[in-house]
């Protein structure tokens, strides 16, 4: 993917690891602002059920590609976060 078209912040890597330490395989994760899906991929690798969303179509496409590349299975949405939450209400 093209970093100019998606949100990526390498400074969040420690935060992702910190959060991942609190996740259990039986958890259900809803990431409303997932960007390219780094945290979503990490949670899926841990065995969580993951639903990831990003408003940016390029971000959603990058997430799908990242899931495929890493042989992970999780749902990707390309919605406004409020609309995504309504999908699960």
């Amino acid at each position: 993917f093209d970093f100019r078209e998606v949100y990526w912040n390498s400074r969040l890597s420690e935060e992702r690891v910190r959060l991942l330490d609190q996740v259990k395989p039986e958890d259900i994760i809803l990431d409303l602002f997932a960007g390219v899906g780094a945290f979503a991929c990490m949670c899926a690798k841990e065995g969580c059920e993951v639903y990831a969303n990003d408003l940016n179509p390029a971000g959603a496409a990058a997430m799908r590609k990242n899931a495929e590349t890493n042989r992970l299975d999780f749902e990707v949405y390309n919605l406004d976060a409020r609309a995504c939450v309504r999908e699960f209400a």
Side-chain angles (χ1 to χ4, degrees):
F1 54 89
D2 186 341
F3 282 100
R4 294 172 296 181
E5 297 179 358
V6 297
Y7 181 77
W8 172 256
N9 185 341
S10 61
R11 291 182 179 173
L12 292 176
S13 62
E14 288 182 33
E15 182 68 8
R16 286 189 283 269
V17 171
R18 186 187 71 75
L19 288 172
L20 191 64
D21 286 341
Q22 299 177 38
V23 169
K24 298 181 244 27
E26 63 271 11
D27 288 343
I28 299 170
I29 305 297
L30 174 58
D31 189 348
L32 294 172
F33 307 96
V36 298
F39 186 65
C41 286
M42 293 167 76
C43 290
K45 282 184 182 179
E46 291 294 315
C48 298
E49 184 176 341
V50 176
Y51 302 90
N53 177 70
D54 202 85
L55 179 61
N56 179 354
M63 264 192 281
R64 287 186 186 96
K65 181 66 174 164
N66 283 337
E68 178 185 323
T69 298
N70 291 285
R71 297 186 177 114
L72 299 169
D73 184 30
F74 60 86
E75 296 292 323
V76 175
Y77 296 86
N78 177 217
L79 301 169
D80 177 84
R82 289 170 290 203
C84 190
V85 167
R86 284 187 211 108
E87 291 281 321
F88 292 93

